[in-house]
Amino acid sequence: MTAPELLQKPLIWITGKGGVGKTSIASSLALQLSKSGRRVLLVEFGQESQLKDAWQLANLDFEGTQISPSLGLSRWEGLACLHDYVRHLLKVDKLANLFLQNPLMKSFIHAAPALKELALLGKATSHVRHIGPNLAYDQIVVDAYATGHFLALLQAPQGLADLISVGPMGKQSRDIMTVLRDPKSCAYVTVCLPEELPVQETAELNQELLSLTGIAPFVVCNRVRAQKGPEKISPKTEFEKYFLSISEREKQALKILKEDPQYLAQIEEVVGAEGRTLIEAMTWEYRR
Amino acid sequence: MKQLIMESKVIICAGTGGVGKTTVSASLAAMSAQLGRKTLVLTIDPSRRLAGALGISKQSEPQKVKLSSGHEFTAQILDVKQVFLSFIRENSSSETMEKIVHNRVFQQLTSRWSGSQEFGALEFLYRAVKDGDYDLVILDTPPASHLRDFLNAPERFYSLFQDSVISFLIGLAGQSKEKVGFFRAALSNQSQWIAKVLSNLTGAQLLTELSEFFENIQFLKSSILNHSIQIQKVLCSPQTKFVMVGIAQMERMGEMLLFQKDLSRYGYALDAIIFNRMMPGQVLKEQGVDQVTELRPTFELWKTAEMSKRARIEREFKDLHKQLKIVFLPEIDGTIDSLKQVEVCANLLKSLPIDAEFGS
């Protein structure tokens, strides 16, 4: 049963430091939500696809792939979203193509890169804002970038605010910011590992997200390895010492994480599974 | 590893995020310091804790890190904006400098340009090498998912300064300036139309600032090209070694192989791969029956997983093995403080037999 806190959010952002398992957590969450009767879109940003490896697909593009009637996957790239947006603004496909395929235009997009970020954010928030092409989904789960890159993404509208305060893009930026700051529309989930450094970094990240959006992120702990063992171990063998040191380290980290009222769940490491098997085997132990 | 350290002037540590690249970079620096070499480690995005432990801050001044053995190395954090500012300062008048610094495009967007962070890192490296103050400079690269994004950064960055691009961008601004008008007139009809649409979409302010910015920095083009060439020379030098840091997780193996391909496509050689956080050898050697009963299934599970990781590494990387050093670093006790971890890691790197798993 998925956390009630997340069930009602139209837009859920999954972030965390590089390497914590954002993609598998986002995939696992999207799968669970889709099984509860909602139409869910799991989307990643950027030119390279991590989702295709996680779900063992040949490739994943803007058009997307339907995994089940209630779960779709897609990869949104800034330029493709900009295309969508320009088509929506210029109303005529031919014009939009002419505009965007012009090589000088491409260099403009290169020089003013926040435009791509705005296009991505615009598309992600479009179903909440009821704008743009209709997205046939109730919820969007975003396998977002890692920490620094994600914060830069969220800061893009603000960064350009002065420069594009008038005109349709200016209004779009402000509307996007409003959605990103609305706790009824958005939830942020930071993924952590049961180790001291990631716990520290997660706390820093949560602080930054809170000041950017006004919303306190939820926290989940991934790859818990050694919390299911005998109550007390007097370690005699090398493995027992090894296991104990990992167990202790995890206990300390989890203790700190649980002090956060937004701490949601821990997910045990799944050993020896890959792809879809792995995603389906991930079990969320919610704190109650 | 000792040989690697002694023979290099530059070591570039590459790898995706979360593999311990920064710790390993710092450990290589520690090892180098202990071998008596004057060493600088340039890091991009260290966690606050590691930065704190090393005594460096985002202020990006080089800091000396003292090890418990008494040796020391220097550490510094890359600040892309500072790198660009120094670059601009060295190549322009103070008047132009002022205009650029106050331009909001520069303030907001330089760090976001495709290739800018990587170009900044390489430019940083180039300066450190050129100044010649150190025997060894270690670069901890930005966590890129593809090494080629790092290696082709100068190209991507430079592409912004093509003549046609510059003319277009300068010509985007309003009709108020004569000079701009000239550029505008030189644009094709289609480009003019695009400029108009952009103006409606984004408002005149963005285009004006973008235009002014490029007007002010266009003369930097030849310096950028020149530096790109110099950087290339450093990367190609036989005394520049590439070290990949990775974790033996199934999901990551593919990435690591791509890294290796990217490097060889550019004609660089990968000198070593450090697999971090492996199960310690002495744990792997034990038998299931030795363990406490409840732990036996866990032991079997972990051991099997570890064996298949190592088998996969042998399978996938064995062909590379001939030219390449492969190192397995065991997990380091995470409860000790960061600097101590760096020292432990350095000692491990020094003492580990290379390719122990592959025999002769």
Side-chain angles (χ1 to χ4, degrees):
Chain A
M1 229 289 279
T2 321
E5 299 92 326
L6 292 175
L7 283 174
Q8 302 306 323
K9 310 289 184 190
L11 185 51
I12 302 173
W13 301 88
I14 314 289
T15 185
K17 188 172 185 259
V20 293
K22 285 181 293 304
T23 301
S24 34
I25 293 283
S27 299
S28 161
L29 178 65
L31 185 65
Q32 288 177 47
L33 290 170
S34 74
K35 287 183 178 166
S36 68
R38 288 165 172 70
R39 297 168 308 166
V40 180
L41 175 65
L42 173 61
V43 67
E44 62 185 344
F45 291 171
Q47 303 215 299
E48 304 298 335
S49 177
Q50 256 92 52
L51 282 180
K52 83 168 196 299
D53 296 328
W55 292 83
Q56 291 163 327
L57 304 169
N59 68 341
L60 185 62
D61 58 18
F62 194 70
E63 296 307 307
T65 304
Q66 207 66 25
I67 297 283
S68 75
S70 53
L71 179 61
L73 261 53
S74 190
R75 177 176 62 83
W76 292 350
E77 193 269 317
L79 205 59
C81 290
L82 200 55
H83 212 130
D84 241 19
Y85 176 64
V86 168
R87 223 187 275 121
H88 168 72
L89 280 178
L90 292 183
K91 313 260 184 268
V92 180
D93 244 352
K94 267 212 185 95
L95 279 181
N97 286 335
L98 210 63
F99 187 71
L100 288 160
Q101 271 144 34
N102 182 288
L104 294 176
M105 189 53 210
K106 288 187 179 161
S107 62
F108 174 80
I109 293 170
H110 185 175
L115 288 185
K116 281 200 269 189
E117 272 100 4
L118 267 190
L120 282 171
L121 292 174
K123 191 155 175 73
T125 55
S126 63
H127 65 312
V128 173
R129 293 181 297 128
H130 305 295
I131 268 187
N134 198 25
L135 278 176
Y137 297 100
D138 304 309
Q139 278 182 295
I140 298 183
V141 176
V142 184
D143 174 13
Y145 302 128
T147 315
H149 202 171
F150 183 57
L151 291 170
L153 173 70
L154 294 185
Q155 282 164 341
Q158 209 129 14
L160 281 191
D162 295 332
L163 290 171
I164 55 168
S165 52
V166 294
M169 278 194 82
K171 180 169 189 304
Q172 296 283 0
S173 306
R174 285 190 295 278
D175 289 347
I176 288 168
M177 270 320 288
T178 307
V179 171
L180 293 177
R181 300 182 129 254
D182 176 16
K184 285 206 201 68
S185 307
C186 277
Y188 299 88
V189 179
T190 53
V191 181
C192 191
L193 294 176
E195 291 162 31
E196 193 176 8
L197 209 58
V199 167
Q200 183 97 9
E201 286 164 350
T202 301
E204 289 165 12
L205 172 58
N206 289 345
Q207 196 51 44
E208 304 251 22
L209 283 174
L210 181 62
S211 43
L212 254 183
T213 64
I215 300 174
F218 293 106
V219 177
V220 301
C221 188
N222 197 16
R223 299 215 190 101
V224 172
R225 287 193 276 167
Q227 294 309 298
K228 300 223 160 89
E231 270 303 315
K232 276 203 166 36
I233 307 174
S234 339
K236 295 201 177 58
T237 65
E238 289 298 329
F239 177 74
E240 283 163 20
K241 288 187 203 143
Y242 180 62
F243 185 87
L244 187 65
S245 72
I246 293 176
S247 178
E248 281 307 301
R249 187 176 73 198
E250 289 183 347
K251 272 205 186 69
Q252 282 178 33
L254 284 167
K255 185 161 175 282
I256 299 174
L257 285 179
K258 286 176 180 170
E259 285 167 11
D260 185 345
Q262 293 292 91
Y263 175 76
L264 204 59
Q266 72 191 50
I267 293 98
E268 205 173 295
E269 184 177 54
V270 178
V271 180
E274 278 183 88
R276 197 139 170 200
T277 324
L278 168 62
I279 297 168
E280 288 182 354
M282 288 171 71
T283 319
W284 291 46
E285 279 177 48
Y286 290 95
R287 147 215 275 184
R288 288 283 175 237
Chain B
M1 286 319 290
K2 232 186 263 191
Q3 197 183 2
L4 187 80
I5 298 267
M6 295 310 290
E7 285 176 355
S8 344
K9 273 188 143 158
V10 175
I11 294 180
I12 297 183
C13 284
T16 53
V19 296
K21 200 156 32 92
T22 305
T23 308
V24 169
S25 300
S27 306
L28 288 171
M31 199 176 141
S32 172
Q34 287 167 346
L35 289 170
R37 305 196 83 199
K38 195 162 181 231
T39 312
L40 169 69
V41 60
L42 300 173
T43 167
I44 308 298
D45 187 18
S47 70
R48 210 174 286 182
R49 200 141 184 284
L50 183 62
L54 296 179
I56 55 181
S57 68
K58 277 265 146 79
Q59 261 58 60
S60 85
E61 287 304 308
Q63 304 280 344
K64 287 217 177 2
V65 180
K66 254 203 163 63
L67 299 168
S68 58
S69 56
H71 297 99
E72 61 179 33
F73 62 90
T74 309
Q76 194 172 357
I77 301 184
L78 169 72
D79 182 335
V80 170
K81 240 183 211 130
Q82 284 304 317
V83 172
F84 285 161
L85 281 172
S86 331
F87 182 80
I88 294 170
R89 197 179 296 124
E90 271 171 31
N91 291 291
S92 49
S93 69
S94 52
E95 195 194 311
T96 314
M97 183 75 192
E98 272 305 298
K99 282 194 211 158
I100 292 174
V101 166
H102 287 111
N103 182 287
R104 282 183 291 192
V105 169
F106 176 73
Q107 287 168 14
Q108 297 291 346
L109 302 179
T110 26
S111 54
R112 284 201 246 261
W113 283 343
S114 169
S116 64
Q117 205 186 29
E118 296 84 352
F119 181 78
L122 288 170
E123 170 67 19
F124 205 29
L125 175 68
Y126 169 63
R127 270 162 201 280
V129 171
K130 191 170 80 141
D131 292 341
D133 292 329
Y134 296 95
D135 299 320
L136 173 61
V137 180
I138 300 172
L139 177 66
D140 169 25
T141 58
S145 50
H146 289 278
L147 192 58
R148 65 168 174 264
D149 288 344
F150 182 73
L151 298 174
N152 69 16
E155 263 169 67
R156 280 185 291 139
F157 187 67
Y158 180 67
S159 69
L160 265 180
F161 297 85
Q162 302 305 303
D163 282 328
S164 55
V165 173
I166 295 265
S167 306
F168 174 67
L169 292 170
I170 295 175
L172 281 176
Q175 290 87 354
S176 49
K177 300 184 175 182
E178 252 174 44
K179 215 193 302 177
V180 164
F182 168 76
F183 278 108
R184 189 38 101 81
L187 295 178
S188 67
N189 277 336
Q190 190 182 89
S191 305
Q192 288 200 29
W193 169 73
I194 285 181
K196 187 160 194 299
V197 174
L198 273 179
S199 180
N200 289 337
L201 274 184
T202 64
Q205 193 61 27
L206 171 64
L207 300 188
T208 307
E209 299 239 8
L210 202 58
S211 163
E212 278 172 5
F213 179 65
F214 276 94
E215 198 180 338
N216 285 317
I217 67 166
Q218 60 177 310
F219 67 92
L220 285 173
K221 176 178 156 182
S222 55
S223 308
I224 292 176
L225 182 60
N226 187 31
H227 276 238
S228 299
I229 293 171
Q230 298 307 318
I231 286 169
Q232 197 65 12
K233 286 197 187 144
V234 171
L235 292 178
C236 285
S237 156
Q239 287 167 312
T240 295
K241 314 278 185 193
F242 285 85
V243 172
M244 201 199 309
V245 183
I247 289 193
Q249 271 167 11
M250 291 307 184
E251 313 88 85
R252 295 196 188 237
M253 298 282 209
E255 274 166 5
M256 294 179 70
L257 285 166
L258 277 175
F259 262 46
Q260 196 278 332
K261 278 205 191 84
D262 285 344
L263 267 183
S264 59
R265 197 182 307 150
Y266 276 83
Y268 307 129
L270 183 59
D271 292 278
I273 303 182
I274 298 177
F275 282 98
N276 208 359
R277 319 197 82 192
M278 300 296 288
M279 185 182 279
Q282 65 269 30
V283 174
L284 203 55
K285 286 197 193 91
E286 289 188 337
Q287 300 303 314
V289 292
D290 298 335
Q291 316 305 335
V292 151
T293 324
E294 299 106 286
L295 280 183
R296 275 181 213 158
T298 311
F299 174 77
E300 293 305 328
L301 195 63
W302 287 17
K303 183 166 180 175
T304 313
E306 182 75 10
M307 297 305 289
S308 56
K309 277 181 204 172
R310 291 177 183 232
R312 184 162 177 191
I313 289 171
E314 176 149 1
R315 227 173 34 238
E316 309 255 25
F317 293 91
K318 200 172 187 186
D319 286 333
L320 314 173
H321 158 63
K322 296 179 210 79
Q323 333 115 318
L324 186 62
K325 300 168 193 46
I326 297 187
V327 178
F328 287 170
L329 260 187
E331 286 192 67
I332 297 172
D333 181 4
T335 58
I336 59 180
D337 85 62
S338 302
L339 189 55
K340 197 95 195 25
Q341 283 183 47
V342 168
E343 290 180 343
V344 168
C345 186
N347 289 332
L348 279 170
L349 284 170
K350 234 191 307 188
S351 67
L352 277 180
I354 305 295
D355 306 336
E357 318 305 317
F358 295 122
S360 55

